[in-house]
Amino acid sequence: MPKLRLYNSLTREKEEFSPLDPGHVRVYACGPTVYNYAHIGNARMAVVFDLLANVLRSIYPKVTYVSNITDVDDKIMVAAKESGEAIDAITRKFETIYNEDMAALGVAKPDVQPRATEHIKEMIALCEALIERGHAYAAEGHVLFNVPSFPAYGGLSGRSRDEQIAGARVDVAPYKKDPADFVLWKPSTPDQPGWNSPWGRGRPGWHIECSAMAEKHLGLPFDIHGGGADLKFPHHENEIAQSCCAHGNEKNLSAFAKMWVHNGFVTVGGEKMSKSLGNFLLVHDLIKDTEGEALRMALMSAHYRQPLDFSIEKIHEYKRVLDKFYRILSDLGDVPDVEISVPNTVIESLLDDLNTPKAYAALNLLAKEAQQEKTPLAKSKFLLGGRVLGLLKKNVSDWRFGVVFNEITHDEVKAIDSLLVEREAAKKNKDFKRADEIRDELKAMGFAIEDTPEGPKARKI
RNA sequence: GGCGCGGUGGCAGAAUGGUGAUGUAGAGGACUGCAAAUCCUCGUAUCCGGGUUCGAUUCCCGGCCGUGCCUCCA
């Protein structure tokens, strides 16, 4: 049985993954807050954990992958106020768009995609358990986690409580017993979304939702918890504090999740994407102009823990690669598939801490073999190697070749068609001068002609 | 200031204590009326200085540079 090796943020080491229950691997990854379109940083997280789930499924009989939707959050309230839309209209809308956009990237929907608002009861129960055990207290309608009650706090991010306080740049609320204490539950004004609780009408703090949803859908402890690197502190640190302390596991940070996996950031021009820099790129926009698979391939082109510097050119580069791959598959249209498992060179690369660049190298070799050998085995190895990466999932006939393909107007299609017909006639009469003129004319219009076995084709350049 | 990550060919990006993948871009050639695609060939790539070693891009120490977290954030 092949083994997966994964870098565990909690131990800061690459470890051999061994499931708590080999018959059922359980994974949780923090999903998006749905108040806007997903940017490519959100997409990187979704792609990385989709890939992890794929890899786990290729070696274990059952995998449950849970990734939540955060549909209660102050940012959503702000968005609702600005747009005048109802909160649940916004969250449902962007949840749907998120799932559509991720589907375009070949991301399968998680096995469970719980909504925070549907787990309020569980969150309240967690708060009560924490209060009972002396790890939390109620104050002025809030429930706060008392950080000094948990000496192991900070083990994930490698940050002592003192360091955290020293670096704090926010004013400490007067009702906090300790400056490091964080909110589990907070009161809502009548115009804010809220639920009845033992502490009055209120809403959850950010961190408690993932503790509640992970526990409910996976049970504790579970195998792998993941998310973006920026969630390590405070979000994941606080999840650990809540979930360990609620069940009397104050000494064992692994009592919540055994392994922690964090993906690196997407940068643009070498800097982290941020709204203030205006360098946010939305998946929704990018997939208008290219195949989502090209974006997926670009997002996997660096190791998941490294920063990924993104650019439009990078999408184009991987679009060209995928064009080549699909062209090979097109040439092998008549070659039947055979039933095999994922080729070793690819899966072994992925089992080594999801080394996607290494897997790409392996896939390129398989592509070359498929192209040259044209055998069912070579074709299937290539195809399956791509599939485990979430690539080569489309029918060749549906693949849109070319780097950019904005919508072409009806008039353009007619003009191009007549020029192509004229050029075919000119070629037949050996009037290559006229044929070349037509090539230049189309080039001036922004199209390149490719003569293929099926006849000439125009491609937007 | 505290903690962390990284610096490999034009670009992207693996790996490794001893021939430095792969992709993309570029150059030359084959093929094609021309293109495209495909095939062949090519490129003085491991930030700097010390140390350990028979041997360091890899391990250690010190620099320099870049970047991230410490506040909402994938």
Side-chain angles (χ1 to χ4, degrees):
Chain A
M1 180 90 140
K3 283 285 188 182
L4 169 66
R5 289 176 58 75
L6 260 187
Y7 182 86
N8 184 356
S9 304
L10 194 55
T11 57
R12 293 177 194 83
E13 276 176 2
K14 217 196 247 189
E15 294 175 3
E16 186 170 284
F17 173 70
S18 77
L20 292 153
D21 173 3
H24 186 190
V25 175
R26 293 162 296 153
V27 182
Y28 186 94
C30 294
T33 303
V34 282
Y35 66 105
N36 203 340
Y37 292 98
H39 55 70
I40 52 179
N42 295 309
R44 189 180 193 192
M45 167 265 146
V47 165
V48 165
F49 290 98
D50 180 67
L51 175 68
L52 177 61
N54 272 355
V55 170
L56 287 168
R57 287 200 176 94
S58 74
I59 55 172
Y60 293 107
K62 186 181 175 194
V63 176
T64 299
Y65 167 45
V66 180
S67 188
N68 66 291
I69 294 286
T70 296
D71 58 351
V72 52
D73 179 276
D74 289 2
K75 290 192 292 296
I76 301 173
M77 285 161 29
V78 172
K81 198 163 252 179
E82 280 173 1
S83 69
E85 284 177 272
I87 282 178
D88 55 344
I90 290 182
T91 57
R92 291 306 166 90
K93 175 177 139 193
F94 284 112
E95 176 185 320
T96 303
I97 292 172
Y98 174 79
N99 281 325
E100 286 168 358
D101 287 349
M102 293 310 116
L105 302 187
V107 172
K109 210 174 161 186
D111 299 299
V112 186
Q113 193 176 49
R115 296 187 181 114
T117 52
E118 290 167 7
H119 297 76
I120 301 292
K121 222 192 313 172
E122 289 81 358
M123 295 186 221
I124 290 174
L126 266 181
C127 289
E128 287 176 323
L130 286 165
I131 291 174
E132 227 165 84
R133 289 181 179 273
H135 288 294
Y137 56 96
E140 297 181 28
H142 294 73
V143 179
L144 292 124
F145 185 91
N146 187 226
V147 169
S149 76
F150 182 43
Y153 186 83
L156 176 66
S157 53
R159 207 183 305 270
S160 75
R161 194 183 129 271
D162 292 344
E163 280 169 358
Q164 195 208 333
I165 294 165
R169 286 177 234 164
V170 259
D171 293 334
V172 177
Y175 46 78
K176 284 190 180 180
K177 284 187 184 171
D178 185 277
D181 291 353
F182 59 90
V183 170
L184 302 174
W185 185 265
K186 58 188 168 188
S188 293
T189 57
D191 61 317
Q192 293 174 329
W195 291 263
N196 292 325
S197 80
W199 316 284
R201 185 171 173 281
R203 59 190 193 280
W206 172 35
H207 317 296
I208 195 75
E209 59 174 75
C210 290
S211 283
M213 290 187 277
E215 178 174 351
K216 174 165 182 189
H217 295 286
L218 294 173
L220 299 188
F222 57 93
D223 293 296
I224 298 171
H225 190 130
D230 50 351
L231 296 184
K232 210 187 270 187
F233 185 89
H235 184 55
H236 289 160
E237 199 71 80
N238 292 355
E239 279 186 55
I240 290 175
Q242 294 156 357
S243 293
C244 290
C245 292
H247 301 291
N249 291 308
E250 287 86 353
K251 296 251 163 71
N252 179 10
L253 296 181
S254 307
F256 178 41
K258 267 185 77 182
M259 289 184 104
W260 287 80
V261 174
H262 291 98
N263 64 276
F265 293 114
V266 178
T267 61
V268 174
E271 286 184 304
K272 185 184 171 183
M273 289 197 309
S274 76
K275 279 177 181 163
S276 54
L277 287 168
N279 57 1
F280 253 65
L281 291 167
L282 303 180
V283 175
H284 204 68
D285 293 333
L286 292 170
I287 58 178
K288 282 179 196 157
D289 289 337
T290 194
E291 293 280 0
E293 240 174 63
L295 177 51
R296 181 187 181 104
M297 199 169 180
L299 287 172
M300 298 191 301
S301 65
H303 182 89
Y304 76 93
R305 280 190 281 117
Q306 296 306 130
L308 179 91
D309 198 47
F310 191 81
S311 63
I312 299 296
E313 291 69 40
K314 188 162 276 181
I315 292 197
H316 291 169
E317 178 179 339
Y318 286 100
K319 180 60 171 58
R320 278 191 286 270
V321 173
L322 284 167
D323 278 354
K324 180 176 74 181
F325 285 173
Y326 275 99
R327 205 171 277 124
I328 291 168
L329 290 178
S330 173
D331 289 346
L332 298 177
D334 300 334
V335 178
D337 295 326
V338 287
E339 288 262 335
I340 53 165
S341 54
V342 182
N344 283 339
T345 51
V346 173
I347 196 67
E348 277 165 12
S349 302
L350 294 175
L351 287 172
D352 181 13
D353 200 27
L354 303 180
N355 193 332
T356 46
K358 206 170 165 189
Y360 281 6
L363 187 62
N364 274 304
L365 296 180
L366 293 176
K368 187 165 272 189
E369 278 171 25
Q371 184 181 42
Q372 289 172 351
E373 294 174 17
K374 297 187 182 356
T375 60
L377 180 63
K379 178 190 178 187
S380 298
K381 280 169 108 173
F382 171 47
L383 205 52
L384 274 158
R387 293 269 169 84
V388 74
L389 285 158
L391 304 173
L392 308 183
K393 289 164 101 172
K394 285 206 165 193
N395 290 323
V396 175
S397 54
D398 295 332
W399 184 256
R400 299 181 292 177
F401 287 91
V403 168
V404 178
F405 33 80
N406 300 316
E407 290 303 314
I408 300 173
T409 64
H410 183 65
D411 285 351
E412 278 181 313
V413 172
K414 276 175 72 177
I416 291 165
D417 278 352
S418 68
L419 281 169
L420 287 181
V421 168
E422 190 190 340
R423 179 167 166 275
E424 285 306 290
K427 278 170 67 181
K428 211 169 184 180
N429 297 328
K430 304 273 183 213
D431 183 2
F432 296 120
K433 187 165 168 273
R434 177 60 192 147
D436 283 349
E437 279 171 19
I438 291 172
R439 179 180 287 284
D440 289 341
E441 281 173 40
L442 276 165
K443 195 175 173 186
M445 290 168 65
F447 294 89
I449 301 171
E450 287 181 14
D451 291 318
T452 74
E454 297 87 46
K457 283 182 181 166
R459 169 173 71 92
K460 187 134 182 159
I461 46 177

